[in-house]
């Protein structure tokens, strides 16, 4: 199963605030907010939703195709991704802009305030998917993640026109974009968290049932409560989160979930197993600082899978690792 992941490729600047954002926000003064948080730590990490997802899939033994735009400062990052199993041959390199930057501050309750500088990402709209499909012998699924908005629309429209199944994962761009219907209509999979689910319905004007009638599978991540999977005419499937060893940094946890989920799909496993694999990979990402700093050891991964979801479930995964 050949899976391409289109979306942002960025450097993450991750900061930790030793207090609570909620304590600094005055309800009747939110229209004039002017705050500066003195942070204790700064970590500069590799990130971007598409790169994060591809990294996780590479660790699980797949070779995902990364689709996005970067600056000429990408050489070291490219080498890192290639070394971890990612196909970067279709990444567009800008002659004008730096690779995108994500700046995020996390408080002690794991709430986050972030900004994103697009940089070279604005050129992702120039990328055509068909030459990529021709290079790798066809595409079975394209995940369209948060990216330049015009690129997201272009990739979605091209997938529809060429009959390529796609997964809609608008995430952070939901807040900015108004043409959300165009992003999700006809998607084989729709990924959101619980807040984004409500925002998606608000922006489309569709009810939950109407959204389900327009997508194949709706995947809603619920944080520590796990994930819910919905399909039209089918009962909801809830999968509990995998226990984590410790909570360090939530940035990239959702991307790790998608990596595990998509990889299990490529192994032709059930939606339940896919959600379990996603949850366990997300737990790995939560236990380190930075979205591409976790490591995987096959035997230990299977042991944790068995502890979380049972030996039979772990056995289905083990044969693919």
């Amino acid at each position: 199963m050949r899976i391409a992941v289109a979306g942002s490729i960025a450097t993450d600047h991750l900061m930790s605030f030793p207090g609570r954002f909620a304590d600094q926000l005055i309800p009747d003064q939110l229209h004039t907010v002017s705050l500066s948080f003195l942070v204790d730590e700064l970590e500069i990490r590799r990130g971007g939703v598409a790169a994060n997802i591809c990294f996780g899939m590479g660790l699980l033994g797949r070779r995902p195709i990364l689709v996005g735009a970067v600056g000429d400062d990408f050489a070291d990052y490219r080498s890192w991704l290639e070394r971890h199993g990612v196909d970067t041959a279709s990444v567009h390199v800008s002659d004008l802009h730096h690779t995108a930057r994500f700046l995020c501050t996390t408080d002690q309750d794991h709430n986050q305030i972030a900004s994103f500088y697009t940089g070279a990402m604005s050129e992702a709209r120039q990328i055509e998917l068909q030459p990529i499909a021709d290079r790798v012998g066809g595409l079975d699924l394209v995940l369209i993640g948060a990216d330049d908005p015009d690129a997201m629309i272009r990739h979605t429209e091209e997938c529809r026109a060429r009959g390529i199944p796609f997964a809609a994962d608008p995430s952070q761009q939901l807040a900015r974009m108004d043409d959300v219907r165009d992003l999700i209509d006809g998607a084989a999979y729709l990924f959101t968290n619980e807040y984004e689910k409500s925002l998606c319905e608000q922006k489309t004007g569709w009810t939950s049932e109407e959204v389900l009638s327009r997508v194949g599978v709706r995947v809603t991540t619920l944080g520590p409560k796990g994930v819910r999977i919905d399909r039209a005419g089918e009962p909801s499937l809830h999968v509990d989160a995998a226990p984590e060893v410790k909570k360090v940094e939530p940035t990239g946890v959702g991307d790790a979930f998608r990596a595990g989920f998509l990889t299990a799909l490529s192994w032709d496993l059930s939606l339940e197993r896919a959600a379990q694999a996603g949850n366990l990979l997300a737990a790995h990402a939560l236990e380190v600082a930075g979205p591409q700093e976790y490591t995987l050891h096959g035997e230990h991964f299977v042991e944790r899978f068995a502890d979380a979801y049972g030996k039979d479930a772990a056995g289905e995964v083990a044969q693919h690792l």
Side-chain angles (χ1 to χ4, degrees), residues 32-88:
T32 58
V33 171
S34 178
L35 290 172
S36 176
F37 298 100
L38 184 64
V39 298
D40 285 348
E41 299 177 4
L42 168 64
E43 298 276 354
I44 300 177
R45 305 286 187 180
R46 305 171 187 91
V49 297
N52 292 343
I53 294 169
C54 284
F55 172 82
M57 296 179 69
L59 287 187
L60 288 168
R62 309 309 292 169
R63 186 161 176 79
I65 301 139
L66 178 61
V67 180
V70 298
D72 62 6
D73 53 352
F74 183 61
D76 287 346
Y77 196 170
R78 183 194 295 276
S79 178
W80 163 267
L81 291 170
E82 288 281 355
R83 189 156 51 87
H84 288 86
V86 179
D87 179 339
T88 66

Coordinates of all heavy atoms in Angstrom, one line a residue, residues 32-88:
T32 N -8.5 42.5 24.8 CA -7.3 43.4 24.8 C -6.1 42.6 25.3 O -5.3 43.1 26.1 CB -7.5 44.6 25.6 OG1 -7.9 44.3 26.9 CG2 -8.6 45.5 25.0
V33 N -6.0 41.3 25.0 CA -4.9 40.5 25.5 C -3.5 41.0 25.1 O -3.3 41.2 23.9 CB -5.1 39.0 25.1 CG1 -3.9 38.2 25.5 CG2 -6.3 38.4 25.8
S34 N -2.6 41.1 26.0 CA -1.2 41.4 25.8 C -0.4 40.8 26.8 O -0.2 41.3 27.9 CB -1.0 43.0 25.8 OG 0.4 43.2 25.5
L35 N 0.1 39.6 26.5 CA 0.8 38.8 27.5 C 2.1 38.3 27.0 O 2.3 38.1 25.8 CB 0.0 37.5 27.8 CG -1.3 37.7 28.6 CD1 -2.1 36.4 28.7 CD2 -1.0 38.2 30.0
S36 N 3.1 38.2 27.9 CA 4.4 37.6 27.5 C 4.7 36.6 28.6 O 4.6 36.9 29.8 CB 5.5 38.7 27.5 OG 6.7 38.1 27.3
F37 N 5.0 35.3 28.2 CA 5.3 34.3 29.2 C 6.8 34.0 29.3 O 7.5 33.8 28.3 CB 4.6 33.0 28.8 CG 3.1 33.1 28.7 CD1 2.4 33.3 27.5 CD2 2.3 33.1 29.9 CE1 1.1 33.4 27.5 CE2 0.9 33.2 29.9 CZ 0.3 33.4 28.6
L38 N 7.3 34.1 30.5 CA 8.7 33.8 30.8 C 8.8 32.3 30.8 O 8.3 31.6 31.8 CB 9.2 34.4 32.1 CG 10.7 34.3 32.4 CD1 11.5 35.0 31.3 CD2 11.0 34.8 33.8
V39 N 9.6 31.7 29.9 CA 9.6 30.2 29.8 C 10.9 29.7 30.4 O 11.9 30.4 30.4 CB 9.4 29.7 28.4 CG1 8.1 30.2 27.8 CG2 10.5 30.3 27.5
D40 N 10.9 28.5 30.8 CA 12.0 27.9 31.5 C 12.9 27.1 30.5 O 14.1 27.0 30.7 CB 11.6 26.8 32.5 CG 11.1 27.5 33.8 OD1 11.3 28.7 33.9 OD2 10.5 26.8 34.6
E41 N 12.3 26.6 29.4 CA 13.1 25.8 28.5 C 12.8 26.1 27.0 O 11.7 26.5 26.7 CB 12.7 24.3 28.7 CG 13.1 23.8 30.1 CD 12.7 22.3 30.3 OE1 12.2 21.7 29.3 OE2 12.8 21.8 31.4
L42 N 13.7 25.9 26.2 CA 13.5 26.0 24.7 C 14.2 24.8 24.1 O 15.4 24.5 24.2 CB 14.2 27.3 24.2 CG 14.3 27.4 22.7 CD1 12.9 27.4 22.0 CD2 15.1 28.6 22.2
E43 N 13.4 24.1 23.3 CA 13.8 22.9 22.6 C 13.6 23.2 21.1 O 12.5 23.6 20.7 CB 13.1 21.6 23.0 CG 13.3 21.2 24.4 CD 14.6 20.4 24.6 OE1 15.3 20.1 23.6 OE2 14.9 20.2 25.8
I44 N 14.6 23.1 20.2 CA 14.4 23.2 18.8 C 14.4 21.8 18.2 O 15.5 21.1 18.3 CB 15.5 24.1 18.2 CG1 15.5 25.5 18.8 CG2 15.3 24.2 16.7 CD1 16.5 26.4 18.4
R45 N 13.3 21.4 17.6 CA 13.1 20.1 17.1 C 12.6 20.1 15.6 O 12.1 21.0 15.2 CB 12.1 19.3 18.0 CG 12.4 19.3 19.4 CD 13.6 18.4 19.8 NE 13.8 18.3 21.2 CZ 14.7 17.5 21.8 NH1 15.5 16.8 21.0 NH2 14.8 17.4 23.1
R46 N 12.8 18.9 15.0 CA 12.3 18.7 13.7 C 10.8 18.5 13.8 O 10.4 17.8 14.8 CB 12.9 17.5 13.0 CG 14.4 17.6 12.9 CD 15.0 16.2 12.5 NE 16.5 16.3 12.5 CZ 17.2 15.9 13.6 NH1 16.5 15.4 14.7 NH2 18.5 15.9 13.6
G47 N 10.0 19.0 12.9 CA 8.5 18.9 13.0 C 7.8 19.1 11.7 O 8.4 18.9 10.6
G48 N 6.6 19.5 11.8 CA 5.7 19.6 10.7 C 4.8 18.4 10.6 O 5.3 17.3 10.8
V49 N 3.5 18.6 10.4 CA 2.6 17.4 10.5 C 3.0 16.3 9.6 O 3.0 15.1 9.9 CB 1.1 17.8 10.4 CG1 0.7 18.8 11.5 CG2 0.9 18.5 9.0
A50 N 3.3 16.6 8.3 CA 3.5 15.6 7.3 C 4.8 14.9 7.7 O 4.9 13.6 7.6 CB 3.6 16.2 5.9
A51 N 5.9 15.6 8.0 CA 7.1 15.0 8.4 C 7.0 14.1 9.6 O 7.6 13.0 9.7 CB 8.2 16.0 8.6
N52 N 6.2 14.6 10.6 CA 6.0 13.8 11.8 C 5.3 12.5 11.5 O 5.7 11.4 12.1 CB 5.2 14.6 12.8 CG 5.9 15.8 13.4 OD1 7.1 15.9 13.3 ND2 5.2 16.7 14.0
I53 N 4.3 12.5 10.7 CA 3.5 11.3 10.4 C 4.4 10.3 9.6 O 4.5 9.1 9.9 CB 2.3 11.7 9.6 CG1 1.3 12.5 10.4 CG2 1.6 10.4 9.0 CD1 0.1 13.1 9.6
C54 N 5.2 10.9 8.7 CA 6.1 10.0 7.9 C 7.2 9.4 8.8 O 7.5 8.2 8.6 CB 6.7 10.8 6.8 SG 5.6 11.1 5.4
F55 N 7.7 10.2 9.7 CA 8.7 9.6 10.6 C 8.2 8.4 11.4 O 8.8 7.4 11.5 CB 9.1 10.7 11.6 CG 10.0 10.3 12.7 CD1 11.4 10.1 12.5 CD2 9.5 10.0 14.0 CE1 12.2 9.7 13.5 CE2 10.3 9.5 15.0 CZ 11.7 9.4 14.8
G56 N 7.0 8.5 11.9 CA 6.4 7.4 12.7 C 6.1 6.2 11.8 O 6.4 5.1 12.2
M57 N 5.7 6.4 10.6 CA 5.4 5.3 9.7 C 6.8 4.6 9.3 O 6.8 3.4 9.2 CB 4.7 5.8 8.4 CG 3.3 6.3 8.7 SD 2.5 6.9 7.2 CE 2.2 5.3 6.3
G58 N 7.8 5.4 9.2 CA 9.1 4.9 8.9 C 9.6 4.0 10.0 O 10.2 2.9 9.7
L59 N 9.4 4.4 11.2 CA 9.8 3.6 12.4 C 9.1 2.3 12.4 O 9.7 1.3 12.9 CB 9.6 4.4 13.7 CG 10.5 5.6 14.0 CD1 10.2 6.1 15.4 CD2 12.0 5.2 13.9
L60 N 7.9 2.3 11.9 CA 7.1 1.0 11.9 C 7.4 0.2 10.7 O 6.7 -0.9 10.4 CB 5.6 1.3 12.0 CG 5.2 1.8 13.4 CD1 3.7 2.4 13.3 CD2 5.2 0.7 14.4
G61 N 8.4 0.6 9.9 CA 8.8 -0.3 8.8 C 8.2 0.1 7.4 O 8.6 -0.6 6.4
R62 N 7.4 1.1 7.3 CA 6.9 1.5 6.0 C 7.8 2.5 5.3 O 8.8 3.0 6.0 CB 5.5 2.1 6.1 CG 4.5 1.3 6.9 CD 4.4 -0.1 6.5 NE 3.8 -0.3 5.1 CZ 3.9 -1.4 4.4 NH1 4.5 -2.5 4.8 NH2 3.3 -1.4 3.2
R63 N 7.6 2.8 4.1 CA 8.3 3.9 3.4 C 7.3 4.9 2.8 O 7.0 4.9 1.6 CB 9.2 3.3 2.3 CG 10.1 4.4 1.7 CD 11.3 3.8 0.9 NE 12.1 4.8 0.3 CZ 13.0 5.6 0.9 NH1 13.2 5.5 2.2 NH2 13.7 6.5 0.2
P64 N 6.8 5.8 3.7 CA 5.8 6.8 3.2 C 6.5 7.8 2.3 O 7.7 8.1 2.4 CB 5.3 7.4 4.5 CG 6.5 7.3 5.4 CD 7.1 5.9 5.1
I65 N 5.7 8.4 1.5 CA 6.1 9.4 0.5 C 5.8 10.8 1.1 O 4.6 11.1 1.2 CB 5.5 9.2 -0.8 CG1 5.9 7.8 -1.4 CG2 5.9 10.3 -1.8 CD1 4.7 7.1 -2.0
L66 N 6.8 11.6 1.4 CA 6.6 12.9 2.0 C 6.3 13.9 0.9 O 7.1 14.0 -0.1 CB 7.8 13.3 2.8 CG 7.8 14.7 3.5 CD1 6.6 14.8 4.4 CD2 9.1 14.9 4.2
V67 N 5.3 14.7 1.0 CA 4.9 15.7 0.0 C 4.8 17.1 0.7 O 3.9 17.2 1.6 CB 3.6 15.4 -0.7 CG1 3.2 16.4 -1.8 CG2 3.7 14.0 -1.4
G68 N 5.6 18.0 0.3 CA 5.6 19.3 1.0 C 6.7 20.2 0.4 O 7.4 19.8 -0.5
A69 N 6.8 21.4 0.9 CA 7.7 22.4 0.4 C 8.6 22.9 1.5 O 8.2 23.1 2.7 CB 7.0 23.6 -0.2
V70 N 9.9 23.0 1.2 CA 10.9 23.4 2.2 C 11.9 24.4 1.6 O 11.8 24.7 0.4 CB 11.8 22.1 2.7 CG1 10.9 21.1 3.3 CG2 12.5 21.6 1.5
G71 N 12.8 25.0 2.5 CA 13.8 25.9 2.0 C 15.1 25.1 1.7 O 15.2 23.9 1.9
D72 N 16.1 25.9 1.3 CA 17.4 25.2 1.0 C 18.2 24.9 2.3 O 19.3 24.4 2.2 CB 18.2 26.1 0.1 CG 18.6 27.4 0.7 OD1 18.3 27.6 1.8 OD2 19.2 28.2 -0.1
D73 N 17.5 25.1 3.4 CA 18.1 24.7 4.7 C 17.7 23.3 5.1 O 17.8 22.9 6.3 CB 17.7 25.7 5.8 CG 16.2 25.9 5.9 OD1 15.5 25.4 5.0 OD2 15.8 26.6 6.8
F74 N 17.1 22.5 4.2 CA 16.5 21.2 4.5 C 17.4 20.0 4.5 O 17.1 18.9 4.8 CB 15.3 21.0 3.5 CG 14.5 19.8 3.7 CD1 13.8 19.6 4.9 CD2 14.4 18.8 2.8 CE1 13.0 18.4 5.1 CE2 13.7 17.6 2.9 CZ 12.9 17.5 4.1
A75 N 18.7 20.2 4.0 CA 19.6 19.1 3.8 C 19.7 18.2 5.0 O 19.6 16.9 4.8 CB 20.9 19.6 3.3
D76 N 20.0 18.7 6.1 CA 20.2 17.8 7.3 C 18.9 17.1 7.7 O 18.9 16.0 8.1 CB 20.7 18.7 8.5 CG 22.2 19.1 8.3 OD1 22.9 18.5 7.5 OD2 22.6 20.0 9.1
Y77 N 17.8 17.9 7.6 CA 16.5 17.3 7.9 C 16.2 16.2 7.0 O 15.7 15.1 7.3 CB 15.4 18.4 7.9 CG 14.1 18.1 8.6 CD1 13.2 19.1 8.8 CD2 13.8 16.9 9.0 CE1 12.0 18.9 9.4 CE2 12.6 16.6 9.6 CZ 11.7 17.6 9.8 OH 10.5 17.4 10.4
R78 N 16.4 16.4 5.7 CA 16.2 15.4 4.7 C 17.0 14.1 5.0 O 16.4 13.0 4.9 CB 16.6 15.9 3.3 CG 16.3 14.9 2.2 CD 17.0 15.2 0.9 NE 16.5 16.5 0.3 CZ 15.4 16.6 -0.5 NH1 14.7 15.5 -0.7 NH2 15.1 17.8 -1.0
S79 N 18.2 14.3 5.3 CA 19.1 13.1 5.7 C 18.5 12.3 6.8 O 18.5 11.1 6.8 CB 20.5 13.6 6.0 OG 21.3 12.5 6.4
W80 N 18.0 13.1 7.9 CA 17.4 12.4 9.0 C 16.2 11.6 8.7 O 16.0 10.5 9.1 CB 17.0 13.5 10.0 CG 16.1 13.1 11.1 CD1 14.7 13.3 11.1 CD2 16.4 12.6 12.4 NE1 14.1 12.8 12.3 CE2 15.1 12.4 13.1 CE3 17.5 12.2 13.0 CZ2 15.1 11.8 14.4 CZ3 17.5 11.6 14.3 CH2 16.3 11.5 15.0
L81 N 15.3 12.2 7.8 CA 14.1 11.5 7.4 C 14.4 10.3 6.6 O 13.8 9.2 6.8 CB 13.2 12.4 6.7 CG 12.5 13.5 7.6 CD1 11.8 14.6 6.7 CD2 11.5 13.0 8.6
E82 N 15.3 10.4 5.6 CA 15.7 9.3 4.8 C 16.3 8.2 5.6 O 16.0 7.0 5.4 CB 16.7 9.7 3.7 CG 16.1 10.6 2.6 CD 15.4 9.8 1.6 OE1 15.4 8.5 1.7 OE2 14.8 10.4 0.7
R83 N 17.1 8.5 6.6 CA 17.6 7.5 7.5 C 16.6 6.8 8.3 O 16.8 5.6 8.7 CB 18.7 8.2 8.4 CG 19.5 7.3 9.2 CD 20.8 7.9 9.6 NE 20.7 9.2 10.2 CZ 20.5 9.4 11.5 NH1 20.3 8.4 12.3 NH2 20.4 10.6 12.0
H84 N 15.4 7.4 8.5 CA 14.3 6.7 9.2 C 13.2 6.2 8.3 O 12.1 6.1 8.7 CB 13.8 7.7 10.3 CG 14.7 7.9 11.4 ND1 15.7 8.9 11.4 CD2 14.8 7.3 12.6 CE1 16.4 8.8 12.5 NE2 15.9 7.9 13.3
G85 N 13.6 6.0 7.0 CA 12.7 5.3 6.2 C 11.7 6.1 5.3 O 10.8 5.5 4.7
V86 N 11.9 7.4 5.3 CA 10.9 8.3 4.6 C 11.4 8.6 3.2 O 12.6 8.9 3.0 CB 10.7 9.6 5.4 CG1 9.8 10.5 4.6 CG2 10.2 9.3 6.8
D87 N 10.6 8.5 2.2 CA 10.8 8.9 0.8 C 10.7 10.4 0.7 O 9.5 10.9 0.8 CB 9.9 8.1 -0.1 CG 10.1 8.4 -1.6 OD1 10.7 9.5 -1.9 OD2 9.6 7.6 -2.4
T88 N 11.8 11.1 0.5 CA 11.7 12.6 0.4 C 11.9 13.1 -1.0 O 12.1 14.3 -1.2 CB 12.7 13.2 1.3 OG1 14.1 12.9 0.9 CG2 12.6 12.7 2.8

